[in-house]
Amino acid sequence: MPSFESFYQEYPCSYNSPLSCDRPFQTAQQIKGAKFCLECGFPATLPQEAEIKGNQGTYQIASFVGVRGLGRLYSGIQLKDKQPVIIKEYLLPNRCFNESETLKRKETFKRVGGVSLADSRIQNFRLVETKEAIADEKGERCYLITKGVESSQTLGKYLIEKGAMTSPDVREVLNQGLQTLQFLHTQKLRFPSNQTQLGITHGNINLDSTLIKVENNQKFSIYFCDLAIWENLFIPPIIAQPAPARPEQDLEALGLLAFYLWTGRTTNFLSNQPLDPRDNQQWPDTDSHLKQFIYRLIGLETPFESAETARQALLQLPKEDRGKSSARSSSASQEIEKRFPMPLILLVILALLLLGGGIWYWFLGRKTDSPNQYILWSRLVRNFSEVPNVPSGQFTYTGEKDSTWSYVLTQPVDNSRLGDLLTRPKPDATATFNYKSVLSPNINNPIKSIEEVQTSQKDFTITSLVDNITDKLAKKQVAYDGLIVFVAFNKRDSNLANALGGQINLEQLRQIYTGKITNWQQINPKLPNLTVKPFAPTEPEAISKFQEIVLKNAPQDEALFAAKVTKLDTTKTQNQIRSETLDGRTTGIIGFGIISKTLSQCTGYPLAIADGKKSAIQPLFQKRDRRSINPSDDLCQHDDYYVDVTTFQSYPLGYPIFVVYPKDSSRLPGGSTFAQMLTTRQGQCLLSKVGLVALQPMPDDINSYACKSVP
């Protein structure tokens, strides 16, 4: 199947992936009844409590879960009996499918969406059970209603969280998978249209279309879902349509899936290309019998005739042969001892270690973790529940209407919104924290939220603007925020990003944003002959920090900034860059915005920032090599880079965010308690997930076990 980044190109999504972008979800959360994303027009997600009517009942949306394959997932219930269901929403957006194509695919979907045994027997062959397929008569959506596999996740997510499977576990995945394929390929099956067919090919076996349910005793079951016969209906017609799959291709796909599970990854670390099973060095060396079996399954050696013959061969495989490799190693070491005296061997080994270490340090220069850097993290209170002395009561806190905090509260995290999670962070306590934003009358001096706390109208505020607070207020830092400066970028032709060497300094920014640099060649004659088009975001807090750090609050420069710079929402600036790039134009746009609005996109390249004669600092790191990004990296892989906390603490455009609250001991300590919660490990993880930067390095990235293990 083609990369999802090539889908829905008719929609100018700043993330370059409308289906997995969070903006349609935000639109649905912020505007009741919204049908389309405000920024690109892609269909918005379904709101909570939306109802979907089918032939077998009415289903109600409970919450948006995420994206899997070519559809969006929701948890829900069937209203008639209150039984839980999973609803997969497929889209036929009108910019990608014309009316005739939409009608044809809807009709086909209703006919083939789901399979069951033709004789109505109920047998568990680990295929996710489909209740019914529904096509919206007037809209652009179709729905597959399935029974959820309780406590399950995709194998792709399992691989990220748990790492490589052992050889016995891979054998069990193959055993169950082949049993399910034997069922699919040989049984007489019935479609929703009542048409029957002898056998069907899955056609879409991969890490995201296979679910795993782990029991308490660590045993597991895998389940197949998202068969190609209905999943492929939603590939836009501009994309080459896959040919009908054959049963042997299911075996190959299952073999490749097993290979990924056993190696623990899907990508070659050195080439950043998909892992190739033909490369012998990529395979584990613990079970040669399993390796030989997967070779045959993939088709690299004599392929199996069917799923049944493959499973019979699997069940007859000898157990893993660790002993043979150990025996070979022992024999080899004895031979070496005969040929070389032991002292000489030790000297050679020592020399090789020293040489190898030097080469590693000099050539690769990768950033490595030091256990000492996590000492501060280990000292944090673990989660909200462990915060002591939480006062009872309802607290109302505030922030500027268009501030970073107002924005991140709307962001999805852990199947909810951050604002919802923080309203009652400690469920066993009676304290609630309700957020009410305020708007400063003077956008050039956004201090209304602090005034609300000083006059006791609000219990506390969250802000980065604390230079002028009185001695009656206390402040506690809870995270870092910062500004990212970006220019046009695409991997094929990185334009300004590459010409600038991926960096810019504060003085150049000052001159650009005060109109003194109007052509990029004024910075360097080797740059393109392009007019500089500076954009600024609409958040007063972000503009205030830019004027403080870059313009040094010089009144004349601030006046020039106000007169010469276009203010536009960061996402719209990114869309403008994307629009000009898609039109084939080389654009001279430069913009800046808060981290949470600029991090997970690939339209604008985030420039490293230099301050004076100091080296430029790039706080965004490439995950695989743990190094700072450069213009040759593919930033459209949004989960492949992150903010390095230690580096960010020296980033010139970074700044802290504080909880500001009264020192008055007669008032309940809502602010200080809320700050305590945000600085627990759980709080820091949540803030990291919505685009803020934690106060200290965490032992792993925010989507991995270090955060997910914090309840």
Side-chain angles (χ1 to χ4, degrees), residues 131-163:
K131 291 179 69 69
E132 65 173 315
I134 303 168
D136 188 339
E137 292 183 4
K138 298 180 180 179
E140 327 175 275
R141 308 170 195 246
C142 293
Y143 310 99
L144 194 70
I145 313 298
T146 64
K147 288 187 176 180
V149 180
E150 189 179 353
S151 301
S152 65
Q153 61 182 169
T154 67
L155 280 178
K157 290 182 179 178
Y158 178 92
L159 197 63
I160 292 172
E161 290 188 19
K162 305 294 186 182

Coordinates of all heavy atoms in Angstrom, one line a residue, residues 131-163:
K131 N -20.1 -6.5 13.1 CA -21.5 -6.6 13.4 C -22.3 -6.1 12.1 O -23.2 -6.7 11.7 CB -21.9 -5.7 14.5 CG -21.5 -6.2 15.9 CD -21.8 -5.3 17.0 CE -23.3 -5.3 17.3 NZ -23.8 -6.6 17.8
E132 N -21.9 -4.9 11.5 CA -22.5 -4.5 10.3 C -21.7 -3.4 9.7 O -20.9 -2.7 10.3 CB -23.9 -4.1 10.5 CG -24.2 -2.9 11.3 CD -25.6 -2.4 11.3 OE1 -26.2 -2.4 10.2 OE2 -26.2 -2.1 12.4
A133 N -21.9 -3.2 8.3 CA -21.2 -2.2 7.6 C -22.3 -1.1 7.2 O -23.3 -1.5 6.6 CB -20.6 -2.7 6.3
I134 N -22.1 0.1 7.5 CA -23.0 1.2 7.3 C -22.4 2.3 6.4 O -21.3 2.7 6.6 CB -23.5 1.8 8.6 CG1 -24.0 0.8 9.6 CG2 -24.5 2.9 8.4 CD1 -24.2 1.3 11.0
A135 N -23.2 2.7 5.4 CA -22.8 3.8 4.5 C -23.7 5.0 4.7 O -25.0 4.8 4.6 CB -22.8 3.4 3.1
D136 N -23.2 6.1 5.0 CA -23.9 7.4 5.2 C -24.5 7.7 3.9 O -23.8 8.0 2.9 CB -23.0 8.5 5.7 CG -23.8 9.7 6.2 OD1 -24.9 9.9 5.7 OD2 -23.2 10.5 6.9
E137 N -25.9 7.8 3.8 CA -26.5 8.0 2.5 C -26.1 9.4 1.9 O -26.0 9.5 0.7 CB -28.0 7.9 2.6 CG -28.5 6.5 3.0 CD -30.0 6.4 3.0 OE1 -30.7 7.4 2.7 OE2 -30.5 5.3 3.3
K138 N -26.0 10.4 2.7 CA -25.8 11.8 2.2 C -24.4 12.3 2.3 O -24.0 13.2 1.6 CB -26.8 12.7 2.8 CG -28.2 12.4 2.5 CD -29.2 13.5 3.2 CE -30.6 13.1 2.9 NZ -31.5 14.1 3.6
G139 N -23.6 11.7 3.3 CA -22.3 12.2 3.6 C -21.2 11.5 2.9 O -21.4 10.8 1.9
E140 N -20.0 11.7 3.4 CA -18.8 11.2 2.8 C -18.2 10.1 3.7 O -17.0 9.8 3.6 CB -17.7 12.3 2.7 CG -18.2 13.6 2.4 CD -17.2 14.7 2.4 OE1 -16.8 15.2 3.4 OE2 -16.7 15.0 1.3
R141 N -19.0 9.4 4.5 CA -18.5 8.5 5.5 C -19.1 7.1 5.5 O -20.3 7.0 5.1 CB -18.6 9.1 6.9 CG -18.1 10.5 7.1 CD -18.5 11.1 8.4 NE -18.3 12.6 8.4 CZ -17.4 13.2 9.2 NH1 -16.7 12.5 10.0 NH2 -17.3 14.5 9.1
C142 N -18.4 6.1 5.8 CA -18.9 4.8 6.0 C -18.4 4.3 7.4 O -17.4 4.8 7.9 CB -18.3 3.8 4.9 SG -19.0 4.2 3.2
Y143 N -19.1 3.3 7.9 CA -18.8 2.9 9.3 C -18.8 1.3 9.3 O -19.7 0.7 8.9 CB -19.8 3.4 10.3 CG -20.0 4.9 10.2 CD1 -21.1 5.4 9.5 CD2 -19.1 5.8 10.8 CE1 -21.4 6.8 9.4 CE2 -19.3 7.2 10.6 CZ -20.4 7.6 10.0 OH -20.6 9.0 9.9
L144 N -17.7 0.8 9.9 CA -17.7 -0.7 10.2 C -17.8 -0.8 11.7 O -17.0 -0.4 12.5 CB -16.4 -1.2 9.7 CG -16.3 -2.8 9.6 CD1 -17.2 -3.3 8.5 CD2 -14.9 -3.3 9.4
I145 N -18.9 -1.5 12.1 CA -19.2 -1.7 13.5 C -18.6 -3.1 13.9 O -19.0 -4.1 13.3 CB -20.7 -1.7 13.8 CG1 -21.3 -0.4 13.2 CG2 -20.9 -1.7 15.3 CD1 -20.8 0.9 13.6
T146 N -17.7 -3.1 14.9 CA -17.1 -4.4 15.3 C -17.2 -4.6 16.8 O -17.3 -3.6 17.5 CB -15.6 -4.5 14.9 OG1 -14.9 -3.5 15.5 CG2 -15.5 -4.4 13.4
K147 N -17.1 -5.8 17.2 CA -17.0 -6.1 18.7 C -15.5 -5.9 19.0 O -14.6 -6.5 18.4 CB -17.5 -7.5 19.0 CG -19.0 -7.6 18.9 CD -19.4 -9.0 19.4 CE -20.9 -9.1 19.4 NZ -21.3 -10.5 19.9
G148 N -15.3 -5.1 20.1 CA -13.9 -4.8 20.4 C -13.2 -6.1 21.0 O -13.9 -6.8 21.7
V149 N -11.9 -6.2 20.7 CA -11.1 -7.3 21.4 C -10.6 -6.6 22.7 O -9.7 -5.8 22.6 CB -10.0 -7.7 20.5 CG1 -9.2 -8.8 21.2 CG2 -10.5 -8.3 19.2
E150 N -11.2 -7.0 23.8 CA -10.9 -6.3 25.1 C -9.4 -6.3 25.4 O -8.7 -7.3 25.3 CB -11.7 -6.9 26.2 CG -11.6 -6.2 27.5 CD -12.5 -6.9 28.6 OE1 -13.2 -7.8 28.3 OE2 -12.4 -6.4 29.7
S151 N -8.9 -5.2 25.9 CA -7.5 -5.0 26.3 C -6.5 -5.4 25.2 O -5.6 -6.1 25.4 CB -7.2 -5.9 27.6 OG -8.1 -5.5 28.6
S152 N -6.8 -5.0 24.0 CA -5.9 -5.3 22.9 C -5.3 -4.1 22.3 O -5.7 -3.0 22.5 CB -6.7 -6.0 21.8 OG -7.7 -5.1 21.2
Q153 N -4.2 -4.3 21.5 CA -3.5 -3.2 20.9 C -3.0 -3.8 19.6 O -2.9 -5.0 19.4 CB -2.4 -2.6 21.7 CG -1.4 -3.7 22.1 CD -0.3 -3.1 23.0 OE1 0.5 -3.9 23.5 NE2 -0.2 -1.9 23.2
T154 N -2.6 -2.9 18.6 CA -2.0 -3.4 17.4 C -0.6 -4.0 17.7 O 0.1 -3.6 18.7 CB -1.8 -2.3 16.4 OG1 -0.9 -1.3 16.8 CG2 -3.2 -1.7 16.1
L155 N -0.1 -4.9 16.9 CA 1.3 -5.4 17.0 C 2.3 -4.3 16.8 O 3.4 -4.3 17.4 CB 1.5 -6.5 16.0 CG 1.0 -7.9 16.4 CD1 1.3 -8.9 15.3 CD2 1.5 -8.4 17.8
G156 N 1.9 -3.3 16.0 CA 2.8 -2.1 15.8 C 3.1 -1.4 17.1 O 4.2 -1.1 17.5
K157 N 2.0 -1.1 17.9 CA 2.2 -0.5 19.2 C 2.8 -1.4 20.2 O 3.6 -0.9 21.0 CB 0.8 0.0 19.7 CG 0.2 1.1 18.9 CD -1.1 1.6 19.4 CE -1.7 2.8 18.6 NZ -3.0 3.2 19.1
Y158 N 2.5 -2.6 20.1 CA 3.2 -3.6 21.0 C 4.7 -3.6 20.8 O 5.5 -3.6 21.8 CB 2.6 -5.0 20.8 CG 3.3 -6.1 21.6 CD1 2.7 -6.5 22.8 CD2 4.4 -6.8 21.2 CE1 3.3 -7.5 23.6 CE2 5.0 -7.8 22.0 CZ 4.4 -8.1 23.2 OH 5.0 -9.1 23.9
L159 N 5.1 -3.5 19.6 CA 6.5 -3.6 19.2 C 7.2 -2.3 19.8 O 8.3 -2.4 20.3 CB 6.7 -3.6 17.7 CG 8.0 -4.0 17.1 CD1 8.4 -5.4 17.6 CD2 8.0 -4.0 15.6
I160 N 6.6 -1.2 19.7 CA 7.1 0.1 20.2 C 7.3 0.0 21.7 O 8.3 0.4 22.2 CB 6.3 1.3 19.8 CG1 6.3 1.5 18.3 CG2 6.7 2.6 20.5 CD1 5.3 2.5 17.8
E161 N 6.3 -0.5 22.4 CA 6.3 -0.5 23.8 C 7.2 -1.6 24.4 O 7.9 -1.4 25.4 CB 4.9 -0.7 24.4 CG 4.1 0.6 24.2 CD 2.7 0.5 24.9 OE1 2.6 -0.4 25.8 OE2 1.8 1.2 24.5
K162 N 7.1 -2.8 23.8 CA 7.8 -4.0 24.5 C 9.1 -4.4 23.8 O 9.9 -5.1 24.4 CB 6.8 -5.2 24.4 CG 5.4 -4.9 25.1 CD 5.6 -4.7 26.6 CE 4.2 -4.5 27.2 NZ 4.2 -4.3 28.6
G163 N 9.3 -4.0 22.6 CA 10.5 -4.4 21.9 C 10.3 -5.7 21.2 O 9.2 -6.3 21.1

